[in-house]
């Protein structure tokens, strides 16, 4: 089951984002992520959070159309996004796409949201964030260790070390190939590689890394 989790950051509308939302079996909004969805003309199936930023008419209108609400179990210690990810997993998510991860005045929230993708519960579950024309996922050497990309020649693909080191990095279909390479956190060794075919793959054997795909042509592959 594909689950979309909507956070409170700005969502830059694009066919890539719409494709993720339209393909969702379940849409979970973390608090005011529900308002971000409504700006796109969509409603969540479930809203989870402490409702500190979703009140008044917004809250009333969502309840009036039958949107489910789940209370935040521990608002003093954990973010709405954290509990939304765990809720998605409990509902049986086999893949998770996060929208609304960035944006807004709270830089600390943006960083915390990005690292939601490294949530221990996601080690065996593919998870991506999409916004505009960029998609980003996490690779874990002890879990989901491969990422596959489908785009056009010239699209950017970047791999960034999250753990101290990422080992066994091997790529297929990229302009600057890697074979059993090691990256070190803080050194941007894998920025702006490029697709040389319409499909590519990155694999790691240990560590944790972000892998991002930017669609330079700003259109979905056929």
């Amino acid at each position: 089951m594909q689950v979309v989790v909507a956070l409170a950051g700005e969502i830059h509308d694009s066919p890539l984002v719409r494709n993720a939302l339209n393909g969702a079996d379940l849409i979970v909004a973390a608090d005011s992520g529900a308002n971000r969805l409504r700006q796109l003309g969509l409603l969540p199936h479930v809203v989870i959070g402490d409702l500190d930023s979703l009140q008044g008419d917004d809250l009333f209108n969502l309840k009036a159309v039958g949107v489910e609400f789940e209370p935040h179990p521990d608002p003093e210690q954990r973010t709405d996004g954290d509990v939304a990810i765990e809720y998605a997993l409990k509902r049986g998510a086999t893949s998770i796409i996060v929208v609304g991860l960035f944006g807004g005045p709270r830089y600390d929230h943006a960083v915390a949201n990005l690292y939601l993708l490294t949530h221990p519960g996601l080690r065996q579950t593919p998870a991506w964030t999409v916004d505009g024309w960029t998609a980003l996922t996490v690779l874990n050497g002890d879990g989901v260790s491969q990422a596959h990309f489908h785009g056009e020649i010239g699209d950017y693909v970047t791999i960034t070390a999250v753990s101290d080191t990422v080992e066994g990095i091997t790529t297929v279909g990229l302009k600057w190939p890697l074979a059993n390479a090691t990256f070190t956190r803080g050194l941007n060794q894998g920025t702006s590689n490029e697709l040389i075919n319409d499909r590519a793959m990155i694999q790691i054997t240990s560590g944790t890394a972000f892998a991002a795909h930017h669609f330079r042509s700003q259109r979905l592959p056929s």
Side-chain angles (χ1 to χ4, degrees):
M1 177 171 69
Q2 181 170 298
V3 179
V4 167
V5 173
L7 305 182
E10 186 175 0
I11 302 174
H12 297 93
D13 197 3
S14 70
L16 180 65
V17 172
R18 291 284 179 174
N19 189 56
L21 290 165
N22 291 337
D25 300 298
L26 178 69
I27 299 177
V28 180
D31 207 332
S32 60
N35 285 337
R36 294 296 190 181
L37 291 172
R38 291 179 67 188
Q39 291 170 3
L40 300 178
L42 299 170
L43 289 173
H45 298 104
V46 182
V47 176
I48 190 167
D50 52 19
L51 305 184
D52 62 342
S53 53
L54 186 65
Q55 300 176 356
D57 289 343
D58 292 331
L59 186 60
F60 175 83
N61 291 334
L62 288 169
K63 289 183 176 180
V65 294
V67 173
E68 295 179 40
F69 283 81
E70 288 286 331
H72 194 307
D74 189 12
E76 293 186 0
Q77 298 295 325
R78 302 164 63 199
T79 66
D80 295 329
D82 184 11
V83 295
I85 291 289
E86 289 200 351
Y87 179 82
L89 292 169
K90 289 178 181 177
R91 287 289 299 265
T94 55
S95 65
I96 294 176
I97 298 177
V98 181
V99 297
L101 189 148
F102 296 112
R106 295 290 301 271
Y107 186 74
D108 54 337
H109 280 194
V111 173
N113 287 344
L114 179 60
Y115 275 83
L116 277 178
L117 298 180
T118 68
H119 190 292
L122 294 176
R123 290 191 178 276
Q124 306 295 332
T125 304
W128 291 78
T129 182
V130 298
D131 187 50
W133 284 101
T134 299
L136 180 146
T137 190
V138 170
L139 298 179
N140 290 292
D142 59 349
V144 179
S145 60
Q146 285 188 355
H148 296 265
F149 307 92
H150 184 198
E152 294 189 351
I153 294 172
D155 282 359
Y156 289 132
V157 172
T158 292
I159 181 168
T160 305
V162 176
S163 54
D164 288 341
T165 59
V166 179
E167 299 179 347
I169 306 169
T170 300
T171 66
V172 176
L174 296 182
K175 184 175 182 179
W176 293 282
L178 298 168
N180 201 34
T182 298
F183 283 3
T184 301
R185 183 174 60 199
L187 302 178
N188 294 325
Q189 298 161 283
T191 302
S192 298
N193 211 328
E194 297 180 18
L195 293 183
I196 56 172
N197 298 298
D198 63 349
R199 295 180 186 271
M201 182 274 292
I202 293 175
Q203 175 177 292
I204 69 173
T205 58
S206 68
T208 303
F210 292 132
H213 178 193
H214 178 68
F215 294 75
R216 293 176 69 182
S217 65
Q218 296 197 355
R219 62 182 181 184
L220 295 177
S222 56

